[in-house]
């Protein structure tokens, strides 16, 4: 007769089997984790050799004619200048600085800072403006629309574009009602916390800030370095090397004649000539009137860092120029005219986008003099 296994024996057998299976799985999982830990420790103790970095390809963006830096015998490229003379820039000691002494130029300064922020320039940004503007806001019961607008834009520059605000006192006495002369450009020599600063003359457009950033690397100790085709006038852009002795010399000279700063700057500026081909990195719209027959708009815009909108018959890009004056002020038909029109339109659009301002009405003419209207929205 066959024996019948008790049900309790079957249950014990299945329990041992299940226990064996789970014990095996637990062992295997522990073994896998152990091997992973061992490999991690081995990698930490004996890390693989670092790959040898390959030479970075040369950048075509900076391989362009530059000018005559000190000690050179001719045009050199940005690449040679940066690689051989001043390869490192301490961005904490390099700054774009705008000095505004009148309300009309505040928006242009904010537009410049907005473009520097948009193009991710690593240089610092500083805005100098009359300290009395703050005092008027705090102590006067009424706010002039002009002042209110300026202070709104100044706050926008600080909040949105990381601009350091620096209200300044008058450095010279006001004479003949000319407050601009009381805030001379030479006063920027006082910013000795920076090695170099770049000042962009209004009104203008930054096309490519990376081109402008390379100018901080120029090995110069001159108080003022101007980038112009000739030394007949000051460039739309000036590189300034702040120093206390230079500031004291400038202020001493200007105190005797506050209106002599243009002559002082001209006689104390090192002019770094720029090539006319393929295109200058800083220029004025007035130069488009003398464009050569082989002028190419694409080349001009690809090489441009900053363009100052300055033409003889145009009051300024901030104004709503009468159409007949605008048409007569354009260069001859061709690509130069196209670029000229595009720059003025670009300025109008950026002014609206950044400052929320339309173009100002043209000044009204009263006899032989101009009475500049504020052109404020109500």
């Amino acid at each position: 007769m066959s024996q019948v296994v008790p049900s309790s024996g079957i249950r014990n057998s299945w329990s041992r089997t299940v226990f064996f299976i789970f014990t095996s799985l637990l062992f295997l999982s522990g073994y896998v984790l152990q091997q992973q830990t061992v490999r991690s420790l081995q990698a930490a103790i004996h890390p693989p050799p670092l790959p040898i970095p390959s030479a970075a390809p040369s950048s075509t963006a900076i391989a362009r004619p530059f000018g005559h830096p000190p000690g050179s015998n001719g045009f050199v490229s940005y690449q040679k200048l940066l690689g051989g003379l001043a390869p490192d820039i301490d961005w904490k000691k390099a700054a774009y600085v705008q000095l505004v002494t009148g309300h009309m130029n505040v928006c242009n300064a904010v537009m410049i800072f907005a473009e520097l922020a948009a193009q991710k320039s690593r240089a610092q940004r500083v805005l100098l403006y009359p300290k009395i503007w703050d005092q008027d806001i705090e102590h006067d019961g009424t706010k002039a629309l002009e002042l209110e607008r300026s202070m709104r834009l100044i706050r926008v520059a600080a909040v949105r574009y990381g601009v350091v605000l620096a209200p300044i006192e008058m450095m010279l006495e006001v004479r003949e009602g000319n407050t601009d002369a009381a805030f001379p450009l030479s006063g920027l020599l006082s910013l000795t916390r920076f090695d170099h600063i770049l000042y962009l003359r209004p009104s203008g457009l930054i096309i490519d800030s990376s081109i402008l950033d390379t100018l901080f690397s120029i090995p110069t100790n001159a108080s003022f370095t101007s980038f112009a085709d000739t030394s007949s006038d000051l460039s739309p852009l000036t590189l300034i090397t702040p120093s206390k002795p230079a500031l004291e010399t400038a202020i001493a000279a200007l105190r005797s004649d506050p209106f002599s700063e243009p002559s002082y700057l001209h006689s104390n500026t090192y002019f770094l000539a720029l090539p006319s081909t393929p295109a200058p990195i800083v220029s004025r719209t007035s130069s488009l009137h003398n464009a050569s027959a082989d002028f190419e708009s694409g080349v001009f815009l690809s090489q441009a860092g900053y363009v100052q909108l300055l033409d003889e018959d145009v009051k300024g890009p901030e104004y709503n120029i009468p159409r007949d004056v605008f048409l007569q002020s354009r260069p001859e038909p061709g690509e130069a005219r196209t670029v000229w029109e595009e720059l003025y339109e670009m300025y109008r659009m950026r002014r609206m986008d950044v400052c929320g301002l339309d173009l100002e009405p043209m000044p009204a003419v009263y006899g032989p003099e101009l009475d500049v209207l504020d052109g404020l929205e109500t």
Side-chain angles (χ1 to χ4, degrees):
M1 295 180 62
S2 60
Q3 291 182 335
V4 178
V5 180
S7 59
S8 59
I10 297 176
R11 284 196 299 270
N12 290 336
S13 175
W14 275 109
S15 297
R16 287 192 295 271
T17 301
V18 171
F19 177 81
F20 174 79
I21 292 174
F22 278 98
T23 301
S24 300
L25 291 175
L26 183 62
F27 172 81
L28 290 175
S29 62
Y31 177 80
V32 171
L33 289 174
Q34 181 189 48
Q35 293 301 308
Q36 290 178 346
T37 303
V38 170
R39 284 193 294 269
S40 299
L41 291 174
Q42 289 176 339
I45 297 173
H46 303 290
L50 296 174
I52 299 176
S54 58
S58 60
S59 173
T60 58
I62 60 174
R64 52 168 62 86
F66 179 73
H68 297 284
S72 71
N73 296 320
F75 294 133
V76 299
S77 67
Y78 278 123
Q79 191 168 354
K80 180 178 179 181
L81 180 69
L82 295 178
L85 297 178
D88 299 321
I89 300 175
D90 185 350
W91 293 109
K92 293 182 179 179
K93 292 184 173 293
Y96 289 92
V97 177
Q98 290 302 110
L99 170 64
V100 294
T101 59
H103 298 293
M104 188 59 68
N105 292 330
V106 173
C107 176
N108 183 84
V110 179
M111 288 167 57
I112 287 175
F113 292 130
E115 199 60 27
L116 290 171
Q119 297 189 25
K120 302 187 185 320
S121 171
R122 295 161 63 189
Q124 308 301 305
R125 303 159 204 150
V126 181
L127 175 60
L128 279 65
Y129 65 94
K131 188 175 183 179
I132 192 173
W133 291 2
D134 283 336
Q135 296 170 349
D136 288 345
I137 286 285
E138 293 174 0
H139 301 296
D140 286 357
T142 60
K143 299 179 181 179
L145 292 179
E146 193 175 54
L147 177 60
E148 185 179 10
R149 182 179 71 174
S150 293
M151 294 309 298
R152 174 181 64 83
L153 292 175
I154 288 173
R155 288 191 292 269
V156 166
V159 174
R160 293 185 183 176
Y161 310 122
V163 177
V164 176
L165 305 182
I168 57 174
E169 301 279 3
M170 294 183 182
M171 302 191 70
L172 301 173
E173 294 181 2
V174 178
R175 297 190 182 182
E176 300 179 12
N178 189 340
T179 57
D180 289 349
F183 301 97
L185 184 64
S186 303
L188 300 186
L189 292 169
S190 64
L191 301 177
T192 53
R193 60 177 292 187
F194 301 110
D195 292 337
H196 295 294
I197 61 178
L198 277 173
Y199 170 74
L200 283 63
R201 295 182 181 277
S203 297
L205 292 167
I206 289 180
I207 307 300
D208 189 341
S209 66
S210 65
I211 296 176
L212 301 180
D213 285 348
T214 61
L215 301 180
F216 286 111
S217 66
I218 292 178
T220 177
N221 291 322
S223 297
F224 304 95
T225 301
S226 184
F227 306 92
D229 298 329
T230 66
S231 61
S232 59
D233 59 356
L234 295 177
S235 165
L237 184 150
T238 300
L239 179 68
I240 301 175
T241 305
S243 75
K244 187 176 180 180
L247 173 67
E248 293 174 350
T249 301
I251 297 302
L254 295 177
R255 276 177 179 161
S256 60
D257 184 5
F259 302 106
S260 65
E261 188 180 39
S263 299
Y264 177 83
L265 291 176
H266 190 275
S267 60
N268 289 274
T269 295
Y270 173 78
F271 289 88
L272 183 61
L274 295 175
S276 58
T277 56
I281 62 173
V282 291
S283 62
R284 293 188 175 102
T285 50
S286 56
S287 66
L288 295 172
H289 292 268
N290 303 317
S292 61
D294 58 350
F295 176 88
E296 296 183 20
S297 58
V299 174
F300 178 87
L301 294 175
S302 67
Q303 301 287 317
Y306 180 71
V307 180
Q308 184 183 19
L309 278 67
L310 184 66
D311 292 275
E312 183 178 356
D313 299 325
V314 178
K315 177 151 184 73
E318 302 91 352
Y319 292 97
N320 188 11
I321 306 166
R323 181 163 179 78
D324 58 336
V325 176
F326 184 82
L327 295 177
Q328 294 173 6
S329 303
R330 296 178 302 172
E332 295 296 323
E335 291 198 39
R337 173 185 285 188
T338 301
V339 171
W340 190 91
E341 294 175 339
E342 288 178 355
L343 290 171
Y344 272 88
E345 177 63 15
M346 187 187 302
Y347 190 96
R348 184 192 69 80
M349 294 179 63
R350 284 190 188 177
R351 178 178 164 88
M352 176 60 72
D353 292 342
V354 174
C355 304
L357 299 176
D358 204 347
L359 297 177
E360 305 286 348
M362 284 292 291
V365 178
Y366 296 102
E369 298 181 353
L370 293 179
D371 179 19
V372 180
L373 301 181
D374 294 336
L376 299 174
E377 296 86 0
T378 58

